[in-house]
Amino acid sequence: MEHRKIDYRHVNESILRRFLVNNARRSTTIVALKEDGELTITLERAEFVCEVIERFYRVLEDEFSYLPKRRAPRFDQKRTLTGAQRSAERSNPATPSPEEVETLKDHLLEKPNTFAGQNMFGIASLFRSAGLRTCGAVGLTTAAMRQGLVGEADFLPFLQRVPRELASIASGVGTDEIRKLVTDGIKSMRERGRTILSVPVFEKGQATFATVPIDVFSDLLDFIWTDRHWFHIAFGRSRPGYRVPDNVFLSAKTGYAFKEKSVSNLFSRTMRELGIPGTGHRIRATSIEDETRKLYYLHRGMHGIAWQPDNILEWLRMYARHKGTGRLAHYINRIINLEEVLGYLPVLFDDTDLAASARALAMIDDDNKQRAVQGLSALLEELGLKPLEEPHAVGSR
């Protein structure tokens, strides 16, 4: 645009379209196209074009803080949004709070069709606790869940006896013993302090791993071996040719795996009825926000002013299964902005009694604050310790 002396503030979809059609090169000559001209474009080309368009508007928003003003349409024109305006509305989507997500989950279990509600409850649990995308949740299989047990010391003695698909041990001769081995193995992991399992998932065309809490994993096993098993037995009675797929979640209407669009529509409709902001996908954002908060306070409390944002972002990238960290930075920024507004300083305690005492000290009124500082200074001196100050922290002098 600079080469052609085109002001970026005056660029519209028509100019960008001509640029893309002409191979999207900086030296491209912008020419007029006939309105009725047909363009032959491959899927690969379409994907590239969409990526360029998205980056184009991201640059306008992020680097130039500019968005085209909405033009008032004529009375006979259909009111539509430009790509930039749609992108602006997506930049700050509503995110449900953890309490609202729990309200949604409770409501899903109250649905008249118990099996349908349990499916949605399980999917919502994976959104919230593991940050799964819709495609990852509907594509989760019992074979993938078994794969999450591979390499765990508690399962090595008997894992070869566990069939590839965990759903296959819901019933049958000898399956009671194998189910007990699996549940005992999970119980042993809990006793050792383990809280998560790494489960392979397939999202956005790529195989990756999701960290599923052991409690959620255990609940899914119980669902697979009870309600899911009873459903496909009853569903298959009137359908001799029916073969149940290995997907964890099955549609009560078709007996097969859910379509992503169906799940998204169901969550959107239910959340709208309950007055809960956002969509099913935004429950994943709730999970990422929660994980960011945990990582930030842990890292910030351990390292003080020497904390490294890049370390947190990399851990968060692996949790959220993103290719890069660019879109995750705003999660940390929200926490830092809140910290600056409130003037709080995170400190890490590995002892509950010390943490409780510190919380009590934080509630001291201004009149007694100086006395508390003097008393703590005397205690530190007696123990041979020195205060570790953060000269550049919020509220420091």
Side-chain angles (χ1 to χ4, degrees):
M1 291 185 290
E2 182 180 359
H3 178 70
R4 295 296 173 185
K5 300 187 183 303
I6 299 176
D7 191 333
Y8 72 86
R9 292 170 294 185
H10 300 153
V11 171
N12 54 32
E13 282 84 350
S14 178
I15 294 176
L16 183 61
R17 179 171 174 267
R18 296 170 189 167
F19 172 69
L20 294 169
V21 169
N22 286 277
N23 294 323
R25 295 193 303 268
R26 293 191 177 185
S27 59
T28 297
T29 301
I30 298 178
V31 297
L33 297 175
K34 294 182 179 180
E35 293 296 330
D36 57 349
E38 294 186 4
L39 299 176
T40 302
I41 186 168
T42 64
L43 177 60
E44 180 180 359
R45 179 66 179 169
E47 292 176 347
F48 168 72
V49 167
C50 290
E51 183 180 2
V52 172
I53 292 175
E54 181 180 3
R55 289 183 178 179
F56 171 80
Y57 284 118
R58 290 294 177 191
V59 169
L60 289 184
E61 294 174 33
D62 299 338
E63 297 186 18
F64 295 94
S65 298
Y66 173 83
L67 285 175
K69 294 182 178 179
R70 296 188 182 185
R71 295 176 297 175
R74 293 175 49 184
F75 68 92
D76 59 343
Q77 290 180 328
K78 183 178 180 181
R79 293 178 177 270
T80 59
L81 299 178
T82 66
Q85 291 163 345
R86 285 192 296 270
S87 181
E89 292 190 348
R90 290 195 300 267
S91 62
N92 292 299
T95 302
S97 67
E99 294 76 18
E100 288 170 331
V101 175
E102 292 306 312
T103 299
L104 171 66
K105 291 168 62 179
D106 291 341
H107 175 78
L108 291 172
L109 288 181
E110 297 172 358
K111 294 179 70 65
N113 186 331
T114 305
F115 180 70
Q118 288 177 334
N119 272 295
M120 292 301 104
F121 177 87
I123 293 175
S125 296
L126 289 174
F127 287 166
R128 175 67 181 92
S129 64
L132 256 66
R133 297 179 173 89
T134 304
C135 55
V138 300
L140 181 65
T141 63
T142 69
M145 292 182 63
R146 180 197 181 277
Q147 192 65 25
L149 306 177
V150 175
E152 298 292 344
D154 305 272
F155 292 88
L156 291 179
F158 61 86
L159 189 60
Q160 290 184 348
R161 298 179 57 188
V162 181
R164 178 178 177 274
E165 298 178 358
L166 291 177
S168 63
I169 58 175
S171 66
V173 178
T175 56
D176 290 346
E177 180 187 356
I178 299 178
R179 289 200 304 273
K180 187 177 187 307
L181 288 173
V182 174
T183 53
D184 286 347
I186 293 175
K187 180 180 178 181
S188 177
M189 292 180 65
R190 283 199 187 98
E191 292 173 349
R192 291 194 297 107
R194 286 289 300 278
T195 58
I196 61 172
L197 276 167
S198 185
V199 178
V201 294
F202 197 75
E203 293 183 335
K204 302 183 74 171
Q206 290 187 339
T208 182
F209 288 87
T211 53
V212 179
I214 286 182
D215 291 341
V216 174
F217 188 94
S218 183
D219 289 343
L220 289 178
L221 282 182
D222 183 64
F223 168 71
I224 292 168
W225 292 336
T226 54
D227 293 271
R228 180 187 181 277
H229 174 68
W230 299 332
F231 165 78
H232 85 75
I233 292 297
F235 193 85
R237 285 198 185 104
S238 58
R239 300 166 180 82
Y242 173 69
R243 291 180 61 85
V244 60
D246 190 42
N247 298 78
V248 173
F249 305 109
L250 304 175
S251 169
K253 293 183 178 179
T254 67
Y256 294 99
F258 283 96
K259 301 293 184 182
E260 292 179 39
K261 189 66 174 177
S262 299
V263 172
S264 298
N265 290 341
L266 191 149
F267 272 98
S268 297
R269 182 171 62 253
T270 305
M271 294 172 72
R272 186 165 55 248
E273 292 172 354
L274 295 175
I276 296 176
T279 61
H281 184 71
R282 296 307 298 171
I283 300 177
R284 163 180 156 85
T286 305
S287 175
I288 296 176
E289 282 187 357
D290 195 38
E291 189 68 15
T292 305
R293 192 174 295 106
K294 293 177 184 177
L295 290 172
Y296 171 77
Y297 286 127
L298 175 63
H299 190 70
R300 183 78 163 78
M302 290 176 61
H303 301 286
I305 61 172
W307 75 287
Q308 296 293 323
D310 290 343
N311 291 348
I312 298 177
L313 286 172
E314 181 58 25
W315 293 335
L316 195 61
R317 183 195 68 78
M318 292 187 290
Y319 174 80
R321 298 171 301 285
H322 274 218
K323 290 184 178 179
T325 60
R327 295 186 178 182
L328 298 171
H330 72 280
Y331 288 104
I332 295 183
N333 292 338
R334 288 183 184 180
I335 298 175
I336 295 175
N337 291 338
L338 180 63
E339 186 179 284
E340 291 179 350
V341 170
L342 299 178
Y344 289 167
L345 296 175
V347 180
L348 181 66
F349 290 92
D350 60 359
D351 184 272
T352 55
D353 292 333
L354 283 175
S357 300
R359 281 192 291 269
L361 287 172
M363 300 175 65
I364 293 179
D365 55 59
D366 293 338
D367 294 337
N368 294 316
K369 187 173 295 184
Q370 188 59 37
R371 288 178 55 198
V373 172
Q374 292 173 352
L376 287 174
S377 298
L379 176 61
L380 291 176
E381 185 176 353
E382 180 182 340
L383 297 174
L385 301 174
K386 292 183 179 180
L388 300 177
E389 298 182 355
E390 291 193 34
H392 304 291
V394 177
S396 61
R397 298 175 181 176

